[in-house]
């Protein structure tokens, strides 16, 4: 049997770019990466799987320094950061659209063939790697943990037992960027070697804060990796690795917030486009519950309100900079993360049978805070309310004297104070606060988790036509903390005033908190290989996967009364019995505890024909699977499923891999079709990410080529086409337009919680009836009637502030008086069919080209200029599509020129990245109705340039 097929557990087609320092005598061979797949070297051109790979030389030549760079030249692969300190690799339109601690990743991240869980690997810089492999398509029979879209496998450099080696290089660039990388390799006798490598990066921020003329979104990070290789016998190898990464700086999780400002205040942001505007804060949770109208409804003096629903909002005079790299914020971002990885691998060859065992342990933490609105809120109306409050309290002796602890908590002299993100839930009322001249609002995303896995693989290299690979894996993940906070001065103020003088409503900030998450997973997988002839091969594989998940979580925001002076924890309050974290269980629960289990059998079948030594064609079918999970608790409560189901994908693929003209041209092409069931994707409901499932079809094609007309010239070419669409009737409400595009509905901003609902007439088209109904109810609440949205806002409905529960009750009682067919109130909005829409993060086309020339001097030196250009086509940031969710295509271009000494012992270089200084947007995140529906965007880095030098021994 062909050995490269037998050992195909990680074998992939790969096209490499030679290093800028290269050996011209072996230049043709450099076109093909030789990898150690299942412990044996092989050419990936022989293996019938669609994958791209970059060895250390290619990473250097193409300036691929991190995950954001990696996506540019890969066909049908995109990468973006996301809102909650996470990221998403999307391969062939399938990515990590599920949000939550119980979500599995669609694109699995592996380290030396072993899966990682919640890794921060996407944040670090690449250093001292053997290669990076990106497998496209569902995996499972080859890798130890299944993935529906593919696998990114990072393979670290191992110790060389042959000779001592060391290398160090440094780089200085704009933004005062300093980067140092180094490696030392030490053989200890003939059977033992040690390798230590690391990097350090420090630079100023990419973003200018016009509030105080500072720079934010900087980097201060380092990582170190130690490896040991021991070969006690010719047939036994032991590899040990320890890795630690740490970052502590002012990295910003988002680059910019965009909004087509809604002058009515009902939605906050409109739905036609993304402008450099700021959300109307009257539409937010603090804008509604802190309004004079809401206070009056609750029997409190309206003059204590921080705003009027119908007056100027906190952003009325705010000017949003129209440069993606400029913001105005009164809260400097804070970012900390670290990760520990320990890995051990042992393998032994028993003649024709190889046995290998790998164990991996991780500890990961991340903690990030930044300005929630990246703005400065005008405190003018706040000061008026606080002045009235002070007068009525009169230091505790006035008619509102019982409320004096509220003033003591939220003010300090002339400064306004906001709860810190403390775990006790007491916030500013327990002395845990931040005070400033401006009313602060910020969020925090933090997580702590550990994971371990053990995987064993048996593979054979028998002389006959049949061979096999058999493996098993067991993994556990334990997350002990995962929280998302939103803190604002206005929330503290509202929580205090609505406490009625007996205390405050806890928690005085929003906190969605997962206290415990556990995953226990095991899988059994294998492949059989049969040579039907010298050129025709069959591969068949199966996998059984079993996952058990359990979650303990709760969500709070001004949910129960906490007495003034409460110490310890807010949940020690004698009134906590009024809080129910789990309405699905009888009685009041302080947490929601849920568990789910999933199992599935999947497989793969491939036929490949090596019709010449240099040409291969193959056809494959694979079924991919990703387990479901548990939706987090909501506050306020909406009717959403407590759990979501698994994903299943049927993948059909045709591929061809070719080497022509003695290696001068390498050309690989793939066509594929996916039938997707239960694709998991997230939308925001009640300030929380809720996951749904849809069905979709995906198809496309990919081409990768390396052209080398002579040893001095080299060209890399990549192209991909992708078409995705939602299939079947899939009904969802669009958060941006709760009216569902209908002109006969009224969109209501619920002033009791900041959410939205829609008033819908029973007789289609009876807009007059729906409007008349709202206009009849609202005056009794002290609220105004309906109003039209701007004609260019993309909203056909009218809107109004209101109370959805009141309207629901009145619809049953008197709604027929306005529409004989009856009025209904739908939360969170009218559903419509997204059938035919495109999937998010799925650019229709990607094109990349790289050109490199080597000039050879008589001295043995070489001068190597290189240019890379990559175009990523239009895509959408949401499954709801539309212009407001469209991400325009972008071009990224990099160049460098490098002078190399004899035998590559030293180099000096000059480089530039993002030559055109493109503000390339890679992803969007739409916030909740109670936040006003603004959009966070994520971008690639701005133009970078600098010089570097290195030496090796």
């Amino acid at each position: 049997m062909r050995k490269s097929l037998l050992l195909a557990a990680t074998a992939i087609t790969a096209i490499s770019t030679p290093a800028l320092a290269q050996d011209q005598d072996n230049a043709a061979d450099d076109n093909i990466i030789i990898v150690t797949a299942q412990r044996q070297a092989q050419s990936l051109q022989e293996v019938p799987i669609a994958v791209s790979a970059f060895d250390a030389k290619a990473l250097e030549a193409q300036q691929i320094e991190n995950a954001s760079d990696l996506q540019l030249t890969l066909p049908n692969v995109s990468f973006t950061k996301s809102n909650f300190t996470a990221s998403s690799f999307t391969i062939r339109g399938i990515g990590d659209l599920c949000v939550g601690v119980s979500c599995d990743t669609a694109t699995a991240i592996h380290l030396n063939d072993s899966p990682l869980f919640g890794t921060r690997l996407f944040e670090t810089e690449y250093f001292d790697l053997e290669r990076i492999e990106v497998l496209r398509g569902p995996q499972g029979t080859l890798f130890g943990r299944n993935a529906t879209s593919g696998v990114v496998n990072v393979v670290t450099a191992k110790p060389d037992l042959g000779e001592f080696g060391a290398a160090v290089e440094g780089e200085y660039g704009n933004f005062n960027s300093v980067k140092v990388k180094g490696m030392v390799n030490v053989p200890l006798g003939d059977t033992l070697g040690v390798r230590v490598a690391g990097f350090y990066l420090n630079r100023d921020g990419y973003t200018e804060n016009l509030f105080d003329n500072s720079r934010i979104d900087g980097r201060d990070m380092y990582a170190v990796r130690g490896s040991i290789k021991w070969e006690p016998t010719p047939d036994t190898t032991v590899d040990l690795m320890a890795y630690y990464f740490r970052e502590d700086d002012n990295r910003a999780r988002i680059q910019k917030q965009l909004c087509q400002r809604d002058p009515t205040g009902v939605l906050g942001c409109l739905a036609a486009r993304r402008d450099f505007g700021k959300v109307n804060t009257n539409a937010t949770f603090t804008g509604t519950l802190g309004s004079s109208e809401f206070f009056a409804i609750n029997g409190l003096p309206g003059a204590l309100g921080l705003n009027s629903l119908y007056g100027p909002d906190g952003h009325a005079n705010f000017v949003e900079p129209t440069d993606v790299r400029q913001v105005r914020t009164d809260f400097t971002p804070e970012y900390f993360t670290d990760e520990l990885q320990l890995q051990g691998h042992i393998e032994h060859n028993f003649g024709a049978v190889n046995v290998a065992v790998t164990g991996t342990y991780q500890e990961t933490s991340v903690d990030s805070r930044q300005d929630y609105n990246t703005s400065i809120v005008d405190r003018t109306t706040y000061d008026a309310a606080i002045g009235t409050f002070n007068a009525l309290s009169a230091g505790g002796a006035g008619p509102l004297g019982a409320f004096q602890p509220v003033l003591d908590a939220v003010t300090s002299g002339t400064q306004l104070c906001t709860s810190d993100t403390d775990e006790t839930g007491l916030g500013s009322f327990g002395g845990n606060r931040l005070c400033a001249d401006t009313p602060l609002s910020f969020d925090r995303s933090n997580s702590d988790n550990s994971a371990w896995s053990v995987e064993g693989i048996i593979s054979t290299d028998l002389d006959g036509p049949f061979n096999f690979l058999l493996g098993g894996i067991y993994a556990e993940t334990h997350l002990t903390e995962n929280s998302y906070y939103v803190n604002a001065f206005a929330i503290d103020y509202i929580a205090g005033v609505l406490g009625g003088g007996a205390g405050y409503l806890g928690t005085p900030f929003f906190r969605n908190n997962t206290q415990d998450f556990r995953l226990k997973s095991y899988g059994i997988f294998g492949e059989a290989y049969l040579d039907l002839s010298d050129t025709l091969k069959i591969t068949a594989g199966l996998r059984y996967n079993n996952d058990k998940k359990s979650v303990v979580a709760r969500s709070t925001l001004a949910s129960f009364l906490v007495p003034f002076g409460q110490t310890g924890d807010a949940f020690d309050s004698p009134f906590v019995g009024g809080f129910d974290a789990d309405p699905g269980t009888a009685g009041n629960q302080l947490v929601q505890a849920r568990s789910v289990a999933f199992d599935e059998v999947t497989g793969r079948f491939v036929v490949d024909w090596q019709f010449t030594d240099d040409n291969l064609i193959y056809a494959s079918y694979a079924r991919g699977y990703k387990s479901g999970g548990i939706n987090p608790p909501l506050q306020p409560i909406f009717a959403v499923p407590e759990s979501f189901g698994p994903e299943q994908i049927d993948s059909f693929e045709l591929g061809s891999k070719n080497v022509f003209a003695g290696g001068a041209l390498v050309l690989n092409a793939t066509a594929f079709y996916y039938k997707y069931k239960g694709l998991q994707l997230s939308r925001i409901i009640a300030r929380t990410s809720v996951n749904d499932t849809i069905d979709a079809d995906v198809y496309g094609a990919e081409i990768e080529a390396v052209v080398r007309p002579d040893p001095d010239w080299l060209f890399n070419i990549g192209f991909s086409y992708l078409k995705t669409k939602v299939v079947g009737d899939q009904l969802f409400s669009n958060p941006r337009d709760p009216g569902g595009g209908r002109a006969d509905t009224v969109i209501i901003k619920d002033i009791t919680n900041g959410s939205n609902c829609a008033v819908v007439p029973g007789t289609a088209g009876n807009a007059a009836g729906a409007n008349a109904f709202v206009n009849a109810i609202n005056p009794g609440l002290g609220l105004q009637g309906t109003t039209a949205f701007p004609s260019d806002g993309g909203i056909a409905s009218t809107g109004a502030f209101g109370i959805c529960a009141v309207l629901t009750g009145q619809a049953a009682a008197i709604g027929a008086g306005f529409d004989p067919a009856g009025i209904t109130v739908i939360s969170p909005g009218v559903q419509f069919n997204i059938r035919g829409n495109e999937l998010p993060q799925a650019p229709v086309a990607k094109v990349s080209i790289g050109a490199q020339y080597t000039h050879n001097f008589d001295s043995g030196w070489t001068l190597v200029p290189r240019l890379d250009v990559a175009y990523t086509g239009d895509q959408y940031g949401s499954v709801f599509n539309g212009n407001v969710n469209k991400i325009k295509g972008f071009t990224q271009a990099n160049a460098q020129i490098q002078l190399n000494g004899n035998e590559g012992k030293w180099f000096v270089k000059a480089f530039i990245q993002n030559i055109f200084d493109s503000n390339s947007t890679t992803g969007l995140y739409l916030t909740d109705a109670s936040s006003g529906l603004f959009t966070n965007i994520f971008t690639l880095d701005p133009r970078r340039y600098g010089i570097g030098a290195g030496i090796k021994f």
Side-chain angles (χ1 to χ4, degrees):
M1 174 189 173
R2 190 167 72 244
K3 190 173 293 185
S4 62
L5 277 179
L6 167 66
L7 303 172
T10 58
I12 14 188
T13 297
I15 299 180
S16 170
T17 300
L20 294 180
Q22 57 185 322
D23 180 356
Q24 293 301 301
D25 294 334
N26 297 311
D29 293 338
D30 281 341
N31 284 6
I32 310 298
I33 292 181
I34 303 298
V35 298
T36 305
Q38 295 297 322
R39 274 72 60 190
Q40 295 193 40
Q42 58 196 313
S43 167
L44 297 183
Q45 281 298 106
E46 299 177 352
V47 182
I49 305 173
V51 177
S52 301
F54 301 84
D55 62 8
K57 298 176 181 179
L59 294 172
E60 173 195 347
Q62 297 187 51
Q63 301 190 64
I64 299 173
E65 299 175 341
N66 49 47
S68 291
D69 298 334
L70 185 62
Q71 66 172 316
L72 295 178
T73 59
L74 288 169
N76 280 328
V77 175
S78 60
F79 174 85
T80 186
K81 300 293 181 65
S82 56
N83 211 55
F84 306 107
T85 64
S87 66
S88 173
F89 266 107
T90 301
I91 301 178
R92 293 176 172 174
I94 309 301
D96 297 322
L97 306 178
C98 179
V99 177
V101 298
S102 68
C103 295
D104 291 338
T105 56
T107 304
I109 309 299
H110 284 238
L111 176 71
N112 299 322
D113 297 342
S114 293
L116 297 177
F117 300 85
T119 181
R120 314 312 298 176
L121 197 61
F122 62 86
E123 293 172 332
T124 187
E125 298 279 307
Y126 296 144
F127 68 98
D128 199 38
L129 299 182
E130 180 180 318
R131 67 186 182 275
I132 297 177
E133 306 165 353
V134 182
L135 293 76
R136 298 189 292 276
Q139 307 299 317
T141 57
L142 297 182
F143 278 81
R145 185 159 166 78
N146 214 350
T148 47
S149 69
V151 168
V152 177
N153 184 33
V154 177
V155 181
T156 61
K158 308 301 189 296
D160 181 353
L161 306 185
E163 60 181 2
F164 172 84
V168 63
E169 61 183 87
E171 176 185 298
Y172 180 78
N174 59 329
F175 300 101
N176 201 29
S177 175
V178 176
K179 180 161 59 177
V180 179
K181 293 193 288 187
M183 175 278 295
V184 176
N185 184 91
V186 182
L188 302 174
D190 295 331
T191 63
L192 185 66
V194 176
R195 189 181 187 101
V196 178
F199 89 93
Y200 171 73
L201 171 65
N202 184 285
R203 66 160 174 79
D204 295 340
Y206 288 150
T207 302
E208 181 183 7
N209 182 7
L210 300 180
F211 173 70
D212 57 8
N213 295 317
S214 64
R215 307 291 303 193
I216 62 174
D217 199 24
R219 299 291 186 272
D220 190 355
M221 61 171 71
Y222 69 87
V224 62
R225 182 191 305 120
S227 303
I228 298 174
K229 179 183 284 290
W230 180 38
E231 295 182 349
T233 75
D235 296 319
T236 306
T237 300
V238 178
D239 284 299
L240 303 175
M241 188 211 71
Y243 165 89
Y244 180 72
F245 166 69
R246 178 186 175 95
E247 178 180 358
D248 190 357
D249 49 40
N250 61 3
R251 178 199 287 261
R253 296 198 314 274
I254 63 168
Q255 183 57 49
K256 193 76 170 180
Q257 291 181 353
L258 303 179
C259 172
Q260 183 187 5
R261 182 176 167 85
D262 172 18
T264 74
V266 173
L267 288 174
C269 297
L270 298 171
R273 58 184 186 269
R274 302 190 305 273
D275 291 344
F276 287 101
K278 215 63 190 175
V279 61
N280 188 323
T281 60
N282 288 343
T284 67
F285 174 86
T286 56
T288 58
L289 273 76
S291 67
S292 57
E293 289 82 3
F294 183 76
F295 278 17
I297 290 173
N298 285 272
L300 295 165
L304 295 183
L306 296 176
N307 61 287
S308 167
L309 297 172
Y310 309 105
D313 71 293
H315 287 150
N317 299 314
F318 183 81
V319 177
E320 177 68 24
T322 57
D323 188 327
V324 170
R325 305 294 174 185
Q326 290 182 332
V327 297
R328 286 189 174 88
T329 171
D330 51 8
F331 190 91
T332 301
E334 303 167 357
Y335 199 93
F336 174 84
T337 184
D338 68 348
E339 180 169 10
L340 171 69
Q341 299 172 358
L342 303 174
Q343 189 174 75
H345 173 84
I346 181 170
E347 66 175 272
H348 182 81
N349 285 310
F350 297 91
V353 178
N354 180 281
V355 178
V357 177
T358 304
T360 303
Y361 175 78
Q362 289 176 259
E363 289 183 357
T364 306
S365 66
V366 62
D367 197 341
S368 169
R369 301 201 303 182
Q370 71 176 63
D371 192 326
Y372 187 69
N373 288 111
T374 60
S375 67
I376 314 297
V377 175
D378 189 341
R379 62 176 287 178
T380 302
T381 57
Y382 290 14
D383 287 339
I386 291 172
T388 302
F389 206 158
N390 267 312
L392 294 175
S393 173
L400 292 183
F403 289 80
Q404 184 61 39
V406 177
L407 285 172
D408 293 340
V410 302
T411 61
S412 176
T414 61
Q415 291 191 321
L416 306 180
C417 302
T418 301
S419 287
D420 206 345
T421 49
D422 71 298
E423 297 182 359
T424 70
L426 301 177
S428 61
F429 296 93
N432 305 314
R433 61 184 189 168
L434 301 176
C435 300
D437 293 330
T438 56
L440 298 177
S441 63
F442 53 92
D443 68 356
R444 178 188 182 192
S445 179
N446 70 307
S447 179
D448 294 285
N449 69 283
S450 61
W452 62 272
S453 66
V454 176
E455 181 180 56
I457 293 178
I458 300 172
S459 59
T460 66
D461 187 12
L462 306 173
D463 291 334
F466 176 77
N467 280 275
F468 68 88
L469 177 148
L470 180 64
I473 184 171
Y474 181 83
E476 287 193 11
T477 295
H478 185 201
L479 184 146
T480 56
E481 164 65 15
N482 182 277
S483 287
Y484 180 68
Y485 300 79
V486 177
N487 296 61
F489 163 79
I491 299 179
D492 285 275
Y493 182 87
I494 292 165
V497 173
L498 295 182
Y504 59 95
L505 299 183
T507 53
F509 45 79
F510 173 72
R511 184 185 184 191
N512 191 296
N513 172 225
T514 299
Q515 301 177 0
D516 188 89
F517 168 70
R518 296 176 187 267
L519 164 69
K520 295 183 178 181
S521 174
Y522 69 88
I524 301 171
F525 55 95
E527 287 195 341
Y529 312 101
L530 180 64
D531 296 354
L532 298 179
S533 70
D534 290 341
T535 59
L536 188 62
K537 320 293 179 183
I538 290 178
T539 301
L542 285 174
R543 174 189 178 85
Y544 172 75
N545 195 76
N546 186 291
D547 291 321
K548 293 181 173 64
K549 300 178 180 181
S550 61
V551 176
V552 177
R554 66 183 170 210
S555 181
T556 57
L557 173 59
S559 303
F560 56 93
L561 186 66
V562 182
F564 295 127
Q566 173 82 52
T567 59
D569 192 283
F571 287 88
D572 296 331
S573 166
F575 305 103
V576 75
F579 168 67
D580 187 9
D582 185 4
T585 301
N588 284 27
Q589 314 295 323
L590 293 186
V591 294
Q592 176 178 294
R594 292 288 185 271
S595 61
V596 291
F598 303 91
D599 67 339
E600 186 72 19
V601 176
T602 59
R604 173 174 176 261
F605 184 81
V606 186
V607 178
D608 73 280
W609 180 31
Q610 186 86 44
F611 59 94
T612 77
D613 290 342
D614 295 326
N615 305 98
L616 171 76
I617 59 173
Y618 68 90
S620 71
Y621 163 77
R623 171 163 288 184
Y625 166 82
K626 187 177 78 167
S627 64
I630 304 165
N631 278 321
L634 300 185
Q635 199 277 334
I637 305 300
F638 282 93
V640 298
E642 291 185 351
S643 62
F644 53 93
E647 293 185 357
Q648 179 178 295
I649 178 174
D650 289 314
S651 168
F652 304 86
E653 186 169 311
L654 292 173
S656 175
K657 301 183 177 180
N658 308 275
V659 179
F660 299 106
L665 171 62
V666 179
L667 177 64
N668 297 336
T670 311
F672 60 90
Y673 172 75
Y674 290 172
K675 195 72 178 176
Y676 221 108
K677 291 183 62 178
L679 174 64
Q680 300 162 0
L681 76 163
S682 173
R683 58 192 171 114
I684 292 290
I685 299 177
R687 298 175 285 275
T688 304
S689 293
V690 173
N691 297 292
D692 304 296
T693 59
I694 62 172
D695 297 339
D697 286 347
V698 179
Y699 60 88
E702 300 149 351
I703 297 174
E704 292 180 283
V706 170
V707 182
R708 190 161 216 159
D710 66 52
D712 294 331
W713 281 97
L714 175 121
F715 300 92
N716 295 83
I717 301 170
F719 170 79
S720 63
Y721 169 80
L722 182 65
K723 179 63 177 179
T724 66
K725 64 177 181 179
V726 177
V727 297
D729 292 327
Q730 309 283 342
L731 300 176
F732 294 99
S733 60
N734 183 353
R736 292 190 190 272
D737 182 7
R742 293 175 55 170
D744 61 351
T745 65
V746 181
I747 298 172
I748 300 296
K749 169 64 63 175
D750 192 326
I751 67 171
T752 68
N753 54 39
S755 65
N756 291 333
C757 64
V759 175
V760 182
T763 304
N766 187 12
N771 281 268
F773 169 70
V774 174
N775 292 336
I777 302 300
N778 268 10
L781 299 171
L783 301 175
Q784 296 179 12
T786 61
T787 185
F789 292 98
S791 59
D792 66 343
I795 304 295
S797 310
T798 56
F801 292 96
I803 300 177
C804 295
V806 171
L807 292 169
T808 300
Q810 294 298 316
I814 65 171
F818 299 94
D819 188 334
I823 297 286
T824 57
V825 180
I826 302 175
S827 296
V830 176
Q831 294 186 334
F832 72 102
N833 202 337
I834 62 171
R835 182 173 185 167
N837 281 15
E838 296 182 24
L839 298 180
Q841 306 301 134
V844 174
K846 292 189 68 178
V847 181
S848 63
I849 185 167
Q852 178 176 312
Y853 173 74
T854 301
H855 179 75
N856 298 282
F857 295 97
D858 293 339
S859 62
W861 295 6
T862 60
L863 183 67
V864 186
R866 181 175 175 89
L867 174 68
D868 289 280
V869 181
Y871 171 74
T872 299
D874 292 351
Q875 57 186 305
Y876 289 104
S878 165
V879 75
F880 293 106
N881 293 182
N883 182 65
V884 69
N885 294 313
K886 190 171 187 177
I887 300 175
K888 294 182 179 180
F890 58 85
T891 299
Q892 289 277 312
N894 300 333
Q896 65 176 323
I897 184 168
Q898 182 165 309
L899 178 66
N900 306 294
N902 286 320
E903 298 179 351
K905 294 296 185 181
W906 57 265
F907 73 86
V908 293
K909 68 177 181 180
F911 67 89
I912 181 169
Q913 297 178 334
N914 191 1
I915 295 173
F916 306 118
D917 200 22
S918 169
N919 293 319
S920 305
T921 299
T922 59
L924 310 177
Y925 187 87
L926 175 66
T927 52
D928 180 52
S930 65
S931 298
L933 300 171
F934 61 83
T935 302
N936 291 335
I937 67 169
F938 311 97
T939 65
L940 297 179
D941 293 345
R943 182 190 295 125
R944 292 184 58 244
Y945 53 85
I947 57 174
I951 187 171
K952 68 178 182 180
F953 308 94

